[in-house]
Amino acid sequence: MSKRTQPSWSPPASSVNRPVLKLYNSLTRQKEEFICNNGNHIKWYSCGPTVYDAAHMGHARSYISLDILRRILSDYFCYDILYVMNITDIDDKIIKRARQNYLYEKYMKNNRDINSTLDDATAALNYYDGLVRQTTDPEKRNTMQKIFENVAAAVKNLKSAVEMNDTEKINTAKSKLIESAADPLSAWLDNRYGSTVTDNAIFESLPRHWENEFHKDMKALNVQPPDVLTRVSEYVPQIIRFIERILDNNLAYESNGSVYFNVSGFDERDKHRYARLVPEAYGDTKSLQEGEGDLSDDTTEKRSPNDFALWKRSKAGEPSWPSPWGSGRPGWHIECSAMASDVCGAQLDIHTGGVDLKFPHHDNELAQSEAHFDQPGWVKYFLHTGHLTIAGCKMSKSLKNFVTIQEALKRHTARQLRFAFLLHGWKDTLDYSNNTMEMAIQTEKQFNEFFLTVKDALRSGYAEGHGGCWGPEEQQLSAKLTKAKEQVHAALCDNIDTRSAIDALRELMGASHMYLSSRAQCEPVPSPLLASAGRYVTHMLRIFGVITGRCDDIGFPIADVDVSVEERVMPYLEALSVFRRQIREEARVLGADRVLQLCDELRDYHLPALGVRLEDKTDRTVVKLVSREELMKEREEKRIVEAGKQKKKQEMLEAQQAKGEQRKIPPSDMFKLETDKYSKFDEQGLPTHDQEGNELSKSLVKKLQKIQLAQEKKYKEYLTSINAP
């Protein structure tokens, strides 16, 4: 009866410690185990763009990398994420650009005579020259200097045309001057008339335009939109209340209509500490001033150079909103603190942005938010994406290596760009170069060929049925699939190391290819494992954001093709390939070369134009659906290779023909044909003097004698061949 009770149970013993997710936290400068404040729910705030110009590859570096992190945390680690991002649409750069655009467009609507145009251009040039001299940034100064020189040359050309009284040249020179002088004219007009611009609407159209362009770029890059999108212009009342709380906590002060954060007062309190992210930057007034903006001139209003603006008194020609301290606008740093706190509350799990935002922006965010809530620890994990360089150099218009996202997408697909980012650490510097993109393209090809090969194998019967006995090949593939999953998990736990995860997937693909090779001489056998490997690789690439939209359960979606099309057309293509193979076999038997040629044309020209690739194997023909663009590119590459082979073959044929003709020349005549080299010969036809009548050296004569002897041997062989019966 003792065995009729429930037996005891022991959990399985394991000596393996499963890795836990760790992220590189800029607050500690090391990898830390990731733990949410509230169960599985992540409150995540990410600094968005300042929208005054086209988004460039530096933006792509940050937003693609953060999109990869977000997808992995959500879709792989299954966190519930509230992702908040801001749009900075009130900023010194925006104000200045919008005001200059407005004044320049207004100026261009008025037709000015030649003298007025020259006077204005000269005045603008003189003003711009002063700006160039004041600029300390060498790259920016170099760019401005080139603009100055171009405008100066255009002014000179127009004056010359006026002196010549040539109407056609005057009109051409005037157009070129106006075109090249846009920047100096805008700066000059802003200096003269900027204070007259008072309509807030003028400062709204520019950021709205570039915000829309930014969203288009992000969609083109397959970057997921935020759950919550905030704009500074829509948050001014909340920002004012946020500042009032900091004033109430005696960590800010009002001065001449502006409000400044008291850095030393904050740092002196026991529970607070300024510059948590970059302590060594405390007192870096240059960085602090850059953070304040181009239009700021508040050195006399601040108690300390380290203090920064929470609210700026608006000067003439700047947008403004009413506040308890007078008409003004928010400072740059306060916007993120107020908006993030309004949506997420007193504590963020994750705050992200580019590494260039660490100081002063993010350090100032931390300080003013902790001052507002009067408690430390506003952010638990700060994640900063690395810099982007262009072919090893800092991106710069003066170096002509400034690349917008739209320009990059003309060179490479969004998938290829994402592969490039996946192959580099998200917090490391990424070099956008030909080598980087070639590596990404080759990686894409490896995955695509794997998917095509697996799908072809599955159509050939490898996944049919449910029975079958496992052999050593199946055991090896099963072990590799398990190991790959463990490696991918370990890599993603280790600070989202996508590069190592991709390497693990490559190893799995290699093992799958080896499995298929080992079974090549056997009848197709049931192998759900092969399908599992294909689906797992597809699943991970979907998590990484590489595979998007509707597609098959394995592989990349076919461009411009609905998901059901492959299932619909593949039986017809398979029937066509079988029919073509039978025709080729009959043609070989009958010696019908033209029929074989037509079969090849179907494979090499007609079907690729439809996105179909046929691969003739020893015992069968493989059918693959591939994007038409890829097949056209492959065909062009093949054509170039074939053309090279034909050229080499022709060169060899011509060389052989020339060699044959050379044999027919009697040795006594061979040098006499070279009248451009020699002028006198002995009785055997050996040269004695060069073209200018100088006697040849003994060493050269000796060398020519050897050549003549060799020709004599060839000539005798030729005579023997033609006299032979």
Side-chain angles (χ1 to χ4, degrees):
M1 292 297 293
S2 61
K3 288 193 175 183
R4 303 285 71 81
T5 60
Q6 190 73 37
S8 60
W9 176 86
S10 299
S14 175
S15 59
V16 178
N17 292 322
R18 189 165 173 78
V20 297
L21 174 61
K22 291 187 176 182
L23 299 174
Y24 184 89
N25 190 354
S26 295
L27 286 165
T28 62
R29 300 188 185 183
Q30 63 183 18
K31 298 173 189 177
E32 304 286 358
E33 181 179 350
F34 180 71
I35 302 172
C36 293
N37 284 308
N38 182 19
N40 204 45
H41 182 65
I42 296 177
K43 293 180 179 180
W44 185 336
Y45 181 83
S46 185
C47 278
T50 300
V51 283
Y52 69 99
D53 208 338
H56 51 69
M57 282 303 292
H59 295 109
R61 169 56 172 143
S62 182
Y63 296 116
I64 292 178
S65 296
L66 294 178
D67 185 68
I68 292 170
L69 293 182
R70 179 186 175 190
R71 287 173 182 271
I72 291 171
L73 288 176
S74 173
D75 299 341
Y76 183 84
F77 289 104
C78 300
Y79 284 103
D80 176 24
I81 299 174
L82 176 66
Y83 192 85
V84 185
M85 189 182 79
N86 76 300
I87 295 290
T88 297
D89 59 354
I90 302 175
D91 175 82
D92 285 25
K93 294 185 182 71
I94 295 173
I95 293 169
K96 193 172 181 180
R97 179 70 63 85
R99 200 168 61 198
Q100 289 184 355
N101 286 356
Y102 168 76
L103 292 170
Y104 181 73
E105 289 169 6
K106 184 179 178 181
Y107 176 86
M108 292 301 292
K109 290 177 182 178
N110 299 322
N111 289 323
R112 285 173 165 71
D113 58 33
I114 296 299
N115 291 330
S116 297
T117 301
L118 279 170
D119 290 343
D120 289 349
T122 302
L125 200 59
N126 291 333
Y127 175 72
Y128 198 72
D129 183 39
L131 296 180
V132 174
R133 296 175 187 276
Q134 295 170 15
T135 303
T136 56
D137 185 299
E139 290 183 2
K140 186 176 180 181
R141 181 167 181 167
N142 184 40
T143 302
M144 294 175 69
Q145 182 65 36
K146 288 179 181 178
I147 294 173
F148 175 84
E149 292 169 357
N150 290 338
V151 177
V155 169
K156 185 177 179 181
N157 288 339
L158 181 54
K159 287 181 178 179
S160 176
V162 171
E163 291 174 0
M164 295 169 63
N165 198 25
D166 187 323
T167 303
E168 185 178 347
K169 287 186 176 180
I170 288 174
N171 291 334
T172 302
K174 182 181 177 182
S175 297
K176 288 185 177 179
L177 172 58
I178 292 174
E179 181 183 349
S180 62
D183 285 354
L185 269 174
S186 298
W188 175 66
L189 290 168
D190 190 40
N191 181 59
R192 292 190 65 181
Y193 307 111
S195 60
T196 65
V197 180
T198 57
D199 186 0
N200 271 15
I202 292 170
F203 303 100
E204 294 174 2
S205 58
L206 178 79
R208 286 296 170 272
H209 167 76
W210 288 116
E211 180 189 338
N212 290 335
E213 292 300 307
F214 171 78
H215 292 315
K216 290 177 186 176
D217 288 342
M218 294 300 104
K219 185 176 181 180
L221 293 172
N222 190 36
V223 172
Q224 292 178 319
D227 299 312
V228 181
L229 183 72
T230 62
R231 297 184 185 90
V232 183
S233 59
E234 298 169 348
Y235 259 82
V236 174
Q238 292 92 328
I239 291 172
I240 290 172
R241 291 196 295 272
F242 199 91
I243 295 171
E244 287 177 322
R245 180 75 175 272
I246 298 175
L247 283 164
D248 291 342
N249 290 335
N250 295 318
L251 289 174
Y253 56 90
E254 188 270 340
S255 176
N256 195 24
S258 296
V259 180
Y260 296 95
F261 188 81
N262 186 347
V263 170
S264 61
F266 174 82
D267 198 55
E268 287 170 359
R269 297 196 180 181
D270 291 340
K271 60 183 175 182
H272 295 310
R273 180 177 174 181
Y274 181 67
R276 287 179 179 272
L277 288 165
V278 193
E280 59 270 26
Y282 192 115
D284 182 354
T285 53
K286 181 180 178 181
S287 296
L288 286 165
Q289 185 56 38
E290 289 176 355
E292 293 294 77
D294 294 340
L295 303 178
S296 296
D297 183 18
D298 50 18
T299 53
T300 59
E301 298 177 354
K302 296 194 294 187
R303 295 176 185 174
S304 167
N306 293 328
D307 296 346
F308 56 89
L310 303 178
W311 183 263
K312 295 181 179 182
R313 174 178 57 86
S314 289
K315 300 188 288 292
E318 297 179 2
S320 64
W321 287 262
S323 79
W325 318 287
S327 294
R329 55 193 174 91
W332 176 32
H333 315 296
I334 194 66
E335 63 183 60
C336 291
S337 294
M339 291 187 289
S341 299
D342 184 70
V343 177
C344 299
Q347 204 165 62
L348 299 175
D349 293 286
I350 295 176
H351 193 324
T352 50
V355 67
D356 54 307
L357 296 178
K358 275 188 178 183
F359 186 88
H361 185 52
H362 285 163
D363 265 326
N364 287 355
E365 274 189 55
L366 278 169
Q368 62 202 9
S369 298
E370 293 178 2
H372 172 87
F373 293 110
D374 197 28
Q375 64 182 28
W378 179 58
V379 175
K380 289 301 181 183
Y381 298 86
F382 246 119
L383 313 181
H384 288 100
T385 57
H387 284 297
L388 178 127
T389 57
I390 307 290
C393 300
K394 178 183 177 183
M395 187 164 56
S396 167
K397 288 184 178 179
S398 64
L399 297 176
K400 299 185 184 299
N401 67 347
F402 186 88
V403 182
T404 66
I405 289 173
Q406 286 300 314
E407 289 168 342
L409 286 171
K410 291 177 183 177
R411 304 176 192 174
H412 303 100
T413 66
R415 182 192 297 166
Q416 290 164 352
L417 290 173
R418 189 166 286 250
F419 265 123
F421 286 72
L422 286 165
L423 293 171
H424 293 77
W426 59 267
K427 75 176 190 66
D428 302 326
T429 297
L430 185 149
D431 186 43
Y432 177 64
S433 63
N434 291 336
N435 289 339
T436 298
M437 293 314 303
E438 183 59 30
M439 188 186 306
I441 291 169
Q442 292 305 317
T443 301
E444 179 190 41
K445 285 183 177 179
Q446 288 175 354
F447 278 98
N448 195 36
E449 286 303 314
F450 166 72
F451 291 139
L452 293 173
T453 301
V454 168
K455 287 195 286 187
D456 174 71
L458 297 181
R459 285 194 299 269
S460 302
Y462 276 86
E464 297 295 329
H466 301 282
C469 181
W470 272 23
E473 294 87 355
E474 283 74 23
Q475 295 283 359
Q476 290 173 7
L477 183 57
S478 175
K480 190 59 190 176
L481 178 58
T482 300
K483 184 179 179 182
K485 291 180 178 180
E486 292 173 350
Q487 289 174 324
V488 168
H489 182 74
L492 297 183
C493 283
D494 185 15
N495 196 39
I496 317 293
D497 181 4
T498 54
R499 177 170 47 188
S500 296
I502 292 291
D503 287 341
L505 295 179
R506 277 201 187 104
E507 291 180 15
L508 175 59
M509 292 190 297
S512 299
H513 286 304
M514 289 179 62
Y515 171 78
L516 286 171
S517 297
S518 68
R519 289 292 189 181
Q521 304 303 320
C522 306
E523 290 294 325
V525 295
S527 183
L529 269 177
L530 194 62
S532 296
R535 291 192 182 96
Y536 174 69
V537 175
T538 302
H539 171 66
M540 291 312 304
L541 292 191
R542 186 183 292 280
I543 286 175
F544 295 161
V546 174
I547 294 178
T548 61
R550 298 175 62 194
C551 67
D552 294 317
D553 59 348
I554 292 178
F556 298 132
I558 306 299
D560 302 322
V561 176
D562 189 83
V563 63
S564 62
V565 169
E566 185 166 0
E567 294 179 12
R568 193 181 308 133
V569 304
M570 193 55 73
Y572 300 95
L573 293 174
E574 292 280 7
L576 174 64
S577 71
V578 171
F579 176 73
R580 173 180 167 274
R581 188 173 187 85
Q582 292 171 342
I583 291 294
R584 291 178 75 213
E585 290 173 356
E586 290 296 325
R588 286 196 182 97
V589 173
L590 298 173
D593 293 339
R594 178 56 181 159
V595 175
L596 289 170
Q597 183 182 352
L598 291 171
C599 288
D600 289 344
E601 288 178 4
L602 178 67
R603 177 194 63 199
D604 298 335
Y605 294 96
H606 304 301
L607 289 179
L610 300 173
V612 179
R613 182 199 289 166
L614 295 185
E615 296 177 358
D616 290 321
K617 304 294 184 181
T618 305
D619 56 342
R620 56 190 288 264
T621 298
V622 176
V623 183
K624 295 180 178 178
L625 279 184
V626 187
S627 71
R628 179 183 179 278
E629 291 74 15
E630 183 177 341
L631 289 178
M632 291 298 98
K633 185 177 179 181
E634 288 179 0
R635 191 172 77 179
E636 179 61 18
E637 291 173 350
K638 184 177 180 181
R639 186 195 66 77
I640 293 172
V641 171
E642 288 298 324
K645 289 180 179 179
Q646 287 296 326
K647 183 180 178 182
K648 189 174 181 180
K649 184 177 180 180
Q650 182 63 29
E651 289 173 350
M652 290 177 64
L653 182 61
E654 291 174 356
Q656 288 175 352
Q657 290 175 344
K659 189 175 180 181
E661 292 298 319
Q662 180 72 20
R663 297 169 63 220
K664 300 177 183 180
I665 302 173
S668 58
D669 294 341
M670 65 179 298
F671 292 119
K672 292 178 181 179
L673 298 173
E674 301 182 34
T675 56
D676 59 330
K677 294 183 180 179
Y678 312 112
S679 59
K680 292 183 181 181
F681 307 87
D682 63 13
E683 58 275 11
Q684 283 81 33
L686 193 68
T688 58
H689 293 74
D690 63 18
Q691 186 186 19
E692 297 176 355
N694 299 315
E695 188 175 356
L696 300 181
S697 65
K698 291 181 179 180
S699 60
L700 180 55
V701 171
K702 190 175 182 180
K703 182 179 179 181
L704 295 175
Q705 204 169 25
K706 289 183 179 179
I707 296 173
Q708 192 180 53
L709 287 171
Q711 178 63 21
E712 184 176 355
K713 182 179 179 182
K714 295 176 184 176
Y715 184 67
K716 287 180 179 179
E717 290 175 351
Y718 165 69
L719 293 176
T720 302
S721 66
I722 62 175
N723 293 325

